[in-house]
Amino acid sequence: MALATATAGCGVFDRIKPGPHDTVASYHDDYAMRIEYPEVRTCSTSTTQAAEQAIEPMSLEDPSKIPALELSLEEAIQLAVQQSPVLRSIGGTIVANPQGAKTVYDPALAHANPLSGPEAALSAFDAQWTSALFWNKNDAPQNSPPAPPGFPAALLLQTLQQTAATSTNQLSKQTANGASFALRHNVNYLRTNQFVGFPSVYTGYLEAEWRQPLLQGSGTTFNRIAGPNSPIGQYNGVLIARVNEDVALADFEAAVVDLVADVEQAYWDLVVSYRILEANVKGRDAALQTFQYQQVRLEAGAGRSDEEAQAQSQYYQFRAQVEQSLGGTTGLYALEQKLRYLIGLPATDGRLIRPMTEPTDVRVVFDWESALGQALTRRVEVRRERFNVQKREMELTAARLNRRPQLDFLGLYRWRGLGDELISDKDGDRDNLYGSITGGNYQEWQAGIEFNMPVGLRQASVAFAHAKLNLQRERAVLAETELRISHDLSDAARQIALTHQLLETNYDRYQADLRQVDVLRRRYKDGTDNINFLLQAQRQVVTSESEFYRALTNYNVAIRDFHKQKGSLLAYNQVQLAEGQWAAGAYRDAYEVGRHLTPRIVSGETCMPRPLTSGPFDPAAPQASMVPVQGMPYQPASPSDVGEFLEATMIDEVN
């Protein structure tokens, strides 16, 4: 019937014609989804200033005519880790995914998390004070019979009139072994027109309660892991919160390692871009000389037009390579801007970064056993996964302890009182409430146990099985992480040997191509050889020189990768991780609290949980695992000399 009525009602409303309210647009139409600009307070920082001070970018300008900003690798890394609270990356994902950016605030945010931080977990053991005070007025007519003849009508209650007040106060405290204590004080006031001993009376009591879990929820181990009164399967205790904070610190350290690796990558990329530009400029100048020489021969009637066209084509080919190595996506200016972003400088400020740290060409041999041992113990990924395993072990312990019935001991003691006044100097038993309570004439107590057990303990058993599976999973992930690290370290060691061998091979190839160009140039000028061989040799020497510089940079990147894989990249680049300065009030509070905290003399009588860590760990501590041996005889030119070379060899466009 209800369904039929509703259907009929809908049909009636469908036949109602639209009114003015259906045709006139509302004031709020298209208002909620309107695009607006946010109004927020912003402050000027070095990062915002760097964004606002960028000038027009460079594309094909002569690098030798741009003021140089000489920068070493150590200085670049220092600028990168000190300039901004956001840990930058080469990809620049901060715009597309700002929530995924790593910052220096992340460890502090994990500590100050109001839901899962250590302070939030400790707050469960804080004393709780609750208080309430209410007044109410009752004025209700009563269903009283008529007064019999001769009976005073005033004695019959026709209307119930009461004025009441209630005050409740409680101080409760949760302890680490699961016990809870409470001290309560209740005061009730009642003024009524009923026939009672005191028309205006105060009643109340003072009681103390102690509840002690004997099975489920008992013990310091469970309460420090899961937290007091935690539901089955939820673990938010102090020890879990501490491990979560350690994991956040490990994530921050991993982000710093990635930042340092990105800065070093960008630095060596900039170094090789200078060298490749130098090689292309030399190839362009050699092609220009060949082209001009062929023009002279053609004008003198000794040359051929096809050879002159080939020389001209090769000149423009090298010229395009110079322009590409300057303003291309992998050119000098693009790679210099990438390094600028990582170290927090404006995209362009009228200066050009000149790397001052020379890439090493010395053969470095690492001790494999030492490096492997360091990688399996010092890598931040291994330490982070070990913390996760430790967390799962504690959760399994709490789940096992929680698979028990609930059995609580309850003890309560109460002092009651009653009086027509709240406080008075009279000595009567019921003259005032507090005198009656403190007199101790009315005392009550209660003691007993409460038992509660879900038949079968299904939820607790499932939580125990879930915790066991989580532990097995984390242990498997830890083992796989160690295996992956050993493979990555092996690849990094192989790359060191390979890149150094390629460095020597490409150097020998470069020297051979130089000798070939000298021979073919003399033979071409003597007229005993074709120009094609000379042009091909000029292209080969530029290619071999560029490959040699790339091999030199790849070797230095391989050394960086090896340090990263074995967990010593921060020490290799002299980067230290330390906690920032506290507020002045925090130091004062720590000093005052520390005065009241003294260690126990007899340590054997102190019951302490198993420590979570083995002590402090310094990821930036130096580790000796490499031995430099004799290097190759090549000494690369200083990058600061590239500007002088370009200034001397830059040639204007040929008309």
Side-chain angles (χ1 to χ4, degrees), residues 40-51:
V40 295
R41 292 185 176 181
T42 59
C43 54
S44 178
T45 63
S46 59
T47 305
T48 58
Q49 292 176 2

Side-chain angles (χ1 to χ4, degrees), residues 273-294:
S273 68
Y274 271 101
R275 304 297 173 82
I276 292 178
L277 175 62
E278 175 185 346
N280 288 327
V281 167
K282 288 191 293 185
R284 184 202 61 185
D285 296 345
L288 178 60
Q289 292 176 1
T290 304
F291 170 50
Q292 291 174 342
Y293 177 76
Q294 190 64 29

Side-chain angles (χ1 to χ4, degrees), residues 426-560:
K426 299 179 182 180
D427 296 332
D429 182 28
R430 300 184 180 182
D431 290 333
N432 65 88
L433 173 63
Y434 283 105
S436 177
I437 293 176
T438 57
N441 295 328
Y442 309 98
Q443 302 184 23
E444 302 172 347
W445 61 271
Q446 178 185 12
I449 58 175
E450 290 182 355
F451 181 79
N452 180 25
M453 183 185 74
V455 178
L457 296 173
R458 178 178 300 182
Q459 186 181 14
S461 299
V462 170
F464 178 74
H466 185 264
K468 184 183 296 184
L469 291 173
N470 268 334
L471 176 59
Q472 293 176 353
R473 178 190 180 278
E474 293 299 336
R475 286 177 174 172
V477 171
L478 174 60
E480 189 65 24
T481 301
E482 293 176 344
L483 178 62
R484 180 71 259 179
I485 286 176
S486 67
H487 279 261
D488 292 342
L489 184 67
S490 178
D491 292 339
R494 184 183 303 109
Q495 287 301 314
I496 288 182
L498 173 63
T499 53
H500 192 273
Q501 183 61 45
L502 289 176
L503 176 62
E504 295 181 343
T505 301
N506 281 285
Y507 176 73
D508 294 337
R509 172 191 174 187
Y510 173 49
Q511 296 300 317
D513 286 340
L514 286 176
R515 293 193 300 271
Q516 181 185 13
V517 168
D518 292 338
V519 172
L520 292 177
R521 183 185 295 112
R522 289 195 299 268
R523 295 176 61 181
Y524 167 69
K525 290 183 178 181
D526 295 341
T528 60
D529 210 341
N530 193 294
I531 191 176
N532 291 327
F533 296 105
L534 176 59
L535 297 179
Q536 182 180 1
Q538 289 176 345
R539 292 194 297 269
Q540 288 180 353
V541 74
V542 172
T543 301
S544 61
E545 184 178 4
S546 300
E547 290 299 322
F548 167 69
Y549 290 142
R550 289 192 180 95
L552 182 61
T553 301
N554 291 338
Y555 177 62
N556 286 264
V557 172
I559 295 176
R560 179 214 63 178

